[in-house]
Amino acid sequence: MSFTLVIHGGAGNITPAIMNKEQEQQYHEGLQAALDKGYEVLKNGGPALDAVLAAIMEMEDNPLFNAGRGAVFTKKGLHEMDAAIMDGSNLEAGAVAGVRNIKNPIRLAKEVMLHSGHVFLSGSGAGEFALQQGFEMAKDDYFFNKSRYDQWVKIRDSNFTQLDHEGDNLKGALPDMGHKFGTVGAVACDVNGNLAGGTSTGGMTNKRFGRIGDSPVIGAGTYANNRTCAISCTGHGEFFLRAVVAYDVSCLMEYKGLSLQDACNMVVKDKLVKMGGEGGLIAVDAKGNFDMCFNSAGMYRGMRNSEGVQQIAYYG
Ligand code: ASP
């Protein structure tokens, strides 16, 4: 049987104009390392869920991406992270929102799924659960990143928030907002045709205390169902929440019989565009068909499958 892994590292104003060769190389290496981690699991016959976890943890550990170690700063100068994971074989899911000092929020999301008796834990309750489960807490300076700090300092006294993928396109004329992109996600189809999806993020720079985006919300930023597809989204979370993007793609396949690609195109390039929602998603179905679909200038993305096909790309 075949298998497929698809990953993203955020979507937005990603163009050759904002990247130099060195940055391109760094992103390439970051995405390649994540693909390799997930691919290894699938190649050894492991479950899609474990491949998704391995790929996302690799990106959470890389300060280049806005997740885990590289999470952006909130209005209060903290790091509050969101993550979700879903197993398409049984529709089990786990999610955390607004968690602090957790090195790998995606691992905590899986722990919630397996051992909490709940689907979604937030804030201090999620932190307490992490301690109970023996998670090691990382100090604040583990998450310190100079460029993200500078990015935040520029807007911390304003009411602006900045999506990590907005770059200079920020509405409100604040110049030179930096070029950091990077919510991360992975979707996989394993040798048994089981699907899984996951997403992890630091959210938006200067976000309000307690703000939660689409990433950890099952059906909005993350979804997986063996009957249809596995999806991980990235983009302007408020729009993705209201459009229930990930589940909408699944519904178009389940109830209208659309192909994976047609369903992704309809949601990302038609519905979201009409609402004004910028971003994209990665998707895979149980036959290993995949899509990496976005309406923004670019999306950090990559895929690798058992047929020997491999891609890493950034631009539109
Ligand atoms: N969707 C994420 C959020 O709104 C951000 C992103 O994908 O970059 O929190």
Side-chain angles (χ1 to χ4, degrees):
M1 269 292 278
S2 60
F3 57 83
T4 304
L5 174 71
V6 192
I7 62 171
H8 72 73
N13 182 30
I14 302 162
T15 62
I18 66 153
M19 300 267 282
N20 59 37
K21 285 278 164 261
E22 195 186 326
Q23 288 166 323
E24 283 184 355
Q25 185 60 26
Q26 282 173 353
Y27 276 100
H28 189 93
E29 283 167 14
L31 292 167
Q32 185 70 61
L35 279 177
D36 291 348
K37 280 274 160 63
Y39 184 88
E40 196 60 25
V41 174
L42 295 174
K43 194 185 79 182
N44 293 326
L49 193 78
D50 290 0
V52 163
L53 187 78
I56 292 181
M57 280 178 63
E58 175 67 31
M59 291 187 279
E60 286 178 335
D61 292 344
N62 185 340
L64 207 55
F65 300 105
N66 171 22
R69 184 162 207 173
V72 296
F73 286 84
T74 67
K75 179 90 182 149
K76 292 189 176 175
L78 306 172
H79 307 281
E80 292 178 2
M81 299 165 285
D82 303 335
I85 194 160
M86 185 158 184
D87 185 339
S89 69
N90 52 17
L91 303 186
E92 290 198 357
V96 291
V99 294
R100 301 202 48 220
N101 304 97
I102 302 288
K103 277 189 178 177
N104 295 109
I106 195 70
R107 196 161 76 79
L108 184 57
K110 187 181 170 198
E111 198 70 11
V112 168
M113 175 176 105
L114 295 178
H115 301 298
S116 74
H118 300 292
V119 169
F120 204 169
L121 296 182
S122 72
S124 54
E128 196 181 294
F129 175 70
L131 283 174
Q132 277 168 7
Q133 298 303 112
F135 277 61
E136 186 199 334
M137 292 291 150
K139 295 217 171 74
D140 283 345
D141 59 9
Y142 172 80
F143 301 91
F144 184 84
N145 177 292
K146 178 80 170 72
S147 65
R148 286 211 161 78
Y149 180 77
D150 293 344
Q151 188 182 13
W152 168 66
V153 164
K154 284 182 187 156
I155 57 171
R156 68 179 166 189
D157 295 328
S158 74
N159 286 326
F160 290 104
T161 51
Q162 183 192 10
L163 278 163
D164 200 37
H165 56 67
E166 265 179 330
D168 286 350
N169 269 357
L170 182 69
K171 295 164 280 299
L174 284 179
D176 188 22
M177 299 307 298
H179 300 295
K180 294 291 175 186
F181 308 96
T183 289
V184 306
V187 294
C189 171
D190 65 28
V191 287
N192 296 312
N194 288 322
L195 303 183
T199 312
S200 180
T201 186
M204 296 163 74
T205 295
N206 215 34
K207 69 183 179 184
R208 183 183 281 269
F209 178 64
R211 180 267 185 187
I212 298 168
D214 60 311
S215 310
V217 177
I218 298 301
T222 306
Y223 190 70
N225 182 344
N226 276 10
R227 290 162 57 88
T228 53
C229 58
I231 304 279
S232 169
C233 299
T234 175
H236 196 155
E238 279 65 15
F239 290 87
F240 281 66
L241 277 165
R242 290 191 284 116
V244 202
V245 168
Y247 188 59
D248 201 22
V249 172
S250 174
C251 285
L252 285 168
M253 296 177 71
E254 185 164 7
Y255 303 128
K256 283 196 114 185
L258 266 63
S259 69
L260 182 77
Q261 202 179 9
D262 287 348
C264 291
N265 279 337
M266 178 171 287
V267 175
V268 175
K269 297 193 175 154
D270 185 32
K271 288 176 138 183
L272 268 176
V273 171
K274 284 177 184 149
M275 291 173 75
E278 189 194 349
L281 57 78
I282 50 170
V284 68
D285 70 16
K287 293 193 190 103
N289 297 312
F290 67 93
D291 200 20
M292 305 187 276
C293 183
F294 50 97
N295 63 33
S296 43
M299 180 167 82
Y300 296 115
R301 59 199 188 275
M303 62 74 53
R304 201 171 166 194
N305 69 15
S306 49
E307 321 303 308
V309 182
Q310 171 156 288
Q311 298 171 13
I312 289 179
Y314 317 139
Y315 311 123

